[in-house]
Amino acid sequence: MAQFTSSEGGFAIPSGGESISVSKKYVTLASYDINPIKPYDGTDTVLSLKTDSTLVGVVMDDDVRLASLNAHYENAQVSSSKTIIVNFSLMGNDIANYAIEEEQLRGAIRKRQVQLAAGDSTKVYDGTPLRYDTVFVIGDGFIEGDLVSAHATGEITEPGHVLNRVVFVYANDSIEDNYEIVIARGFLVITKIPQEAPTIVPVNESILGLNDGQLLGLTTEMEMRDEHTPTYAMV
């Protein structure tokens, strides 16, 4: 065992070949605030991370400060139980004497909630097909690149109505597990051409002419009216 002697307030290491080692001092963060749950966004980044930058374990007068802090999930996929790794780096003149240790927390990445809604459309019959292929994306939406296409497939030509159904395609099969999709179908409606109601107008008997009590030009069996009673015809 090595023997040490005091020398001007310190310790002198004997010359017998013995050696000693001084381990680095571990420091930790006094506190930090993290939101462990986020919707799937295609990355492993923790969205909310705050700290007061105070370090615990630094010897008085040593120059050691927080340089950076980050946290990330073990991967980017959806799961109700995931490891969050929190680590940070140091800066200052005395950082060679200090070490840090990453921390691990539990968190989750939830599925994105998305509604795909087909539109409605109506028109009066004109002999041409009615389509409305636009699909509205509601809710969390899709991460760029995850959705290849989405459109509505309904079509109708004759008077009546049909469902306007939604078809969509992911970029690859693995993406499906990261989304909760709700489909809202629309309606396409074609109405019949409206029939004009017949117009009833008074007949001016002096214009049609009278012949022995019969109205000229009319085939209806109408009785002679009093000269003050108007006669009506369908036009």
Side-chain angles (χ1 to χ4, degrees):
M1 180 179 294
Q3 300 294 318
F4 303 95
T5 58
S6 178
S7 173
E8 296 182 358
F11 288 91
I13 301 176
S15 58
E18 299 89 343
S19 63
I20 62 171
S21 64
V22 178
S23 61
K24 294 184 177 182
K25 185 174 178 60
Y26 278 92
V27 294
T28 59
L29 287 170
S31 66
Y32 55 85
D33 182 24
I34 188 171
N35 184 352
I37 301 175
K38 74 167 184 176
Y40 166 76
D41 63 3
T43 74
D44 62 1
T45 304
V46 173
L47 296 183
S48 177
L49 180 61
K50 299 178 182 178
T51 180
D52 63 5
S53 73
T54 301
L55 296 173
V56 176
V58 177
V59 174
M60 185 178 297
D61 297 330
D62 274 3
D63 179 23
V64 179
R65 289 160 285 142
L66 178 67
S68 65
L69 172 67
N70 66 78
H72 61 90
Y73 295 90
E74 57 190 294
N75 57 53
Q77 299 304 306
V78 166
S79 174
S80 60
S81 180
K82 301 187 73 68
T83 298
I84 298 177
I85 301 167
V86 180
N87 50 47
F88 57 98
S89 61
L90 304 174
M91 63 181 179
N93 296 326
D94 298 310
I95 61 173
N97 298 323
Y98 292 86
I100 57 178
E101 187 172 17
E102 70 178 23
E103 298 184 34
Q104 294 189 356
L105 307 173
R106 302 304 297 174
I109 296 179
R110 65 169 178 80
K111 292 185 177 184
R112 294 182 76 85
Q113 308 295 310
V114 178
Q115 182 179 18
L116 296 177
D120 300 325
S121 187
T122 302
K123 75 172 183 177
V124 177
Y125 171 77
D126 63 2
T128 64
L130 173 62
R131 306 181 188 91
Y132 191 174
D133 60 3
T134 300
V135 171
F136 301 93
V137 179
I138 305 168
D140 292 335
F142 290 91
I143 300 303
E144 184 176 357
D146 280 0
L147 184 68
V148 174
S149 65
H151 65 279
T153 62
E155 180 178 326
I156 185 172
T157 302
E158 300 298 323
H161 65 273
V162 297
L163 285 173
N164 201 16
R165 292 181 168 86
V166 174
V167 173
F168 65 99
V169 179
Y170 289 116
N172 60 68
D173 293 340
S174 65
I175 293 173
E176 182 177 1
D177 294 336
N178 298 319
Y179 290 89
E180 189 74 40
I181 305 293
V182 175
I183 301 295
R185 296 174 295 185
F187 278 95
L188 302 179
V189 180
I190 292 182
T191 60
K192 293 181 179 180
I193 299 174
Q195 299 296 318
E196 293 185 5
T199 302
I200 300 177
V201 297
V203 174
N204 188 327
E205 295 179 353
S206 64
I207 295 175
L208 295 176
L210 293 173
N211 182 18
D212 297 329
Q214 299 296 319
L215 291 177
L216 297 179
L218 296 180
T219 59
T220 55
E221 297 179 2
M222 300 177 66
E223 297 180 354
M224 271 301 289
R225 302 287 199 267
D226 183 87
E227 63 178 354
H228 299 296
T229 303
T231 302
Y232 294 85
M234 304 292 286
V235 296

